[in-house]
Amino acid sequence: MKLLEDRIRRDGRILPGDVIKVDSFLNHLIDVELVSACADEWYNIYKDMGVTKILTIEASGIALASITATKFSVPVLFAKKTRSSNLSQRVLSTKVVSYTHGQSYDVIVSRDYIKKEDKILIIDDFLANGSALRALVTLAEKAGATVLGIGIAVEKVYQGGGEDIRRRGYRIDSLAKIKSVDVESGIEFYE
Amino acid sequence: MKLLEDRIRRDGRILPGDVIKVDSFLNHLIDVELVSACADEWYNIYKDMGVTKILTIEASGIALASITATKFSVPVLFAKKTRSSNLSQRVLSTKVVSYTHGQSYDVIVSRDYIKKEDKILIIDDFLANGSALRALVTLAEKAGATVLGIGIAVEKVYQGGGEDIRRRGYRIDSLAKIKSVDVESGIEFYE
């Protein structure tokens, strides 16, 4: 999606350690018109597939997922991160080890809010090693729901998370697929 | 706002200890059409006041704030909660003591994303004792920005947070103002 790639080129900041900061328009300060254009792309792909629910994970996925949900006129459910070991019977949970922060946490959703009849579109802002996304897929699987597909704004393809999840049979529609990042030469995208 | 009050009466769950759960439509599973109707109310109030930015706090405020931002065609900024004591020079921060969880945490936003020229509409889902909201007001004040007003979905009036913030001169537009909650007799709203 050219609009998003151009914005990443213009306003993304490349930091040492393979970090791309998009927090001026995507995940801290959020340009909702850009997000709405992203949501239109996912809507065009999935509009005839019977999506019943949008699933995301707190916090930065919520803006994209909520605006996407308005296009489909379906509810959005956001999974919560918790370090509490006291999980109630009323939640579905899965454990995530964060490579970024070196900590593990549980990702939970209420059992009441994903049903096996649900046809889910997962939405998130970023896909790198895929740990958060695998957790969302696992929660949907535990509920017996169908994951129709996954909409991602920015995928760092070379970190392998997307490849792993596609290999498991899931469809991922990433709007900007990053091939390489370099402080000197900038960001290269896949076509 | 009758639509929201009716929904709280129908789907809100009253738990012992003065707890009202609205997580089936407002802050876990989110009915984005209801949220969009809330956003329209705030838009009608603030549309001629020159709002430049919507400010909220993670996580459950983000859906309301993002959809509200689409009405105004302005960006949304969400403040982050962190327990890290290593705050960079690049952030504005304020400390919050959570009565619910008995812990303290810092609420931060990047200095780059609130300017003194900003005219801010703060949006959040819930107002009870007001600790999170006071933090947002404080961050806007630290940036020298103008807070035009505060849009809240559900205010538990008797917990006093709203009164305290109004006394400081801020305008709050709550769409459902709860007068009392009782497991037996249900929820009573102010007109």
Side-chain angles (χ1 to χ4, degrees):
Chain A
M1 185 194 184
K2 188 168 182 310
L3 185 70
L4 180 59
E5 290 173 1
D6 288 349
R7 189 63 177 273
I8 295 167
R9 278 204 189 88
R10 195 185 80 188
D11 292 334
R13 286 183 301 128
I14 303 173
L15 303 183
D18 191 31
V19 173
I20 306 168
K21 296 282 266 188
V22 291
D23 63 358
S24 66
F25 57 97
L26 197 61
N27 53 21
H28 181 27
L29 185 67
I30 299 165
D31 177 341
V32 293
E33 292 178 334
L34 176 68
V35 166
S36 185
C38 293
D40 285 335
E41 294 282 313
W42 294 316
Y43 181 71
N44 282 331
I45 298 168
Y46 289 96
K47 64 178 184 288
D48 297 323
M49 295 193 202
V51 172
T52 63
K53 205 161 277 173
I54 307 293
L55 177 65
T56 191
I57 185 165
E58 65 179 9
S60 54
I62 298 175
L64 279 96
S66 300
I67 290 172
T68 302
T70 65
K71 310 281 179 181
F72 288 89
S73 300
V74 299
V76 59
L77 176 66
F78 70 88
K80 301 178 185 191
K81 300 171 183 172
T82 176
R83 278 193 248 167
S84 149
S85 52
N86 269 338
L87 298 178
S88 91
Q89 295 299 308
R90 298 176 62 91
V91 302
L92 298 168
S93 75
T94 185
K95 196 166 284 297
V96 169
V97 178
S98 163
Y99 294 87
T100 322
H101 303 102
Q103 292 169 330
S104 79
Y105 57 93
D106 290 303
V107 177
I108 64 171
V109 292
S110 166
R111 273 182 196 280
D112 298 335
Y113 305 142
I114 310 191
K115 304 292 182 190
K116 66 178 197 305
E117 300 78 30
D118 271 322
K119 295 184 176 177
I120 289 176
L121 173 59
I122 294 174
I123 296 288
D124 208 357
D125 56 336
F126 237 86
L127 169 57
N129 64 60
S131 56
L133 184 54
R134 269 191 298 274
L136 291 176
V137 168
T138 300
L139 292 175
E141 287 175 345
K142 283 189 178 188
T146 304
V147 176
L148 294 173
I150 297 158
I152 298 290
V154 185
E155 179 178 353
K156 290 164 85 179
V157 175
Y158 56 92
Q159 285 192 243
E163 189 183 351
D164 173 57
I165 294 161
R166 288 183 180 95
R167 205 187 297 126
R168 289 168 61 180
Y170 291 100
R171 171 179 182 154
I172 305 179
D173 293 283
S174 299
L175 302 182
K177 298 169 85 164
I178 295 177
K179 192 172 189 173
S180 64
V181 180
D182 186 84
V183 177
E184 300 281 305
S185 57
I187 301 171
E188 197 183 350
F189 294 96
Y190 286 98
E191 288 304 307
Chain B
M1 185 195 182
K2 188 168 183 310
L3 185 70
L4 180 60
E5 290 173 2
D6 288 348
R7 188 63 176 275
I8 295 167
R9 278 203 189 86
R10 196 185 80 190
D11 292 335
R13 288 183 300 127
I14 303 173
L15 303 182
D18 190 31
V19 173
I20 306 168
K21 296 281 266 187
V22 291
D23 63 358
S24 66
F25 57 97
L26 197 61
N27 52 23
H28 181 27
L29 185 67
I30 298 165
D31 178 341
V32 294
E33 292 177 336
L34 176 67
V35 166
S36 184
C38 292
D40 285 335
E41 294 281 314
W42 294 315
Y43 181 70
N44 282 330
I45 297 168
Y46 289 95
K47 63 177 184 290
D48 297 323
M49 295 193 202
V51 172
T52 64
K53 204 162 278 172
I54 307 293
L55 176 66
T56 190
I57 186 166
E58 65 179 10
S60 53
I62 299 176
L64 279 97
S66 301
I67 290 171
T68 303
T70 64
K71 310 280 179 182
F72 287 91
S73 301
V74 299
V76 58
L77 176 67
F78 70 88
K80 302 178 183 188
K81 299 171 183 172
T82 176
R83 278 193 248 166
S84 148
S85 51
N86 268 339
L87 297 179
S88 91
Q89 295 299 308
R90 297 176 63 90
V91 303
L92 298 167
S93 75
T94 184
K95 196 166 283 299
V96 169
V97 178
S98 163
Y99 294 87
T100 322
H101 303 101
Q103 291 168 331
S104 79
Y105 56 92
D106 290 303
V107 177
I108 64 171
V109 292
S110 166
R111 272 182 198 279
D112 298 334
Y113 305 142
I114 310 190
K115 304 292 182 190
K116 66 179 198 306
E117 301 78 31
D118 271 322
K119 294 183 175 178
I120 289 177
L121 173 60
I122 294 174
I123 296 289
D124 209 357
D125 56 336
F126 238 87
L127 169 57
N129 65 60
S131 57
L133 184 55
R134 269 190 298 274
L136 292 176
V137 168
T138 300
L139 291 175
E141 286 174 346
K142 283 190 177 187
T146 304
V147 176
L148 294 173
I150 298 159
I152 298 291
V154 185
E155 179 178 353
K156 290 164 86 179
V157 175
Y158 56 93
Q159 285 192 244
E163 190 183 349
D164 173 56
I165 294 160
R166 288 182 181 96
R167 205 187 299 126
R168 289 168 59 182
Y170 291 100
R171 171 181 184 152
I172 304 179
D173 293 284
S174 300
L175 303 182
K177 297 169 85 164
I178 295 178
K179 192 171 190 172
S180 64
V181 179
D182 186 84
V183 177
E184 300 280 304
S185 57
I187 301 171
E188 196 184 350
F189 295 96
Y190 286 98
E191 287 303 308

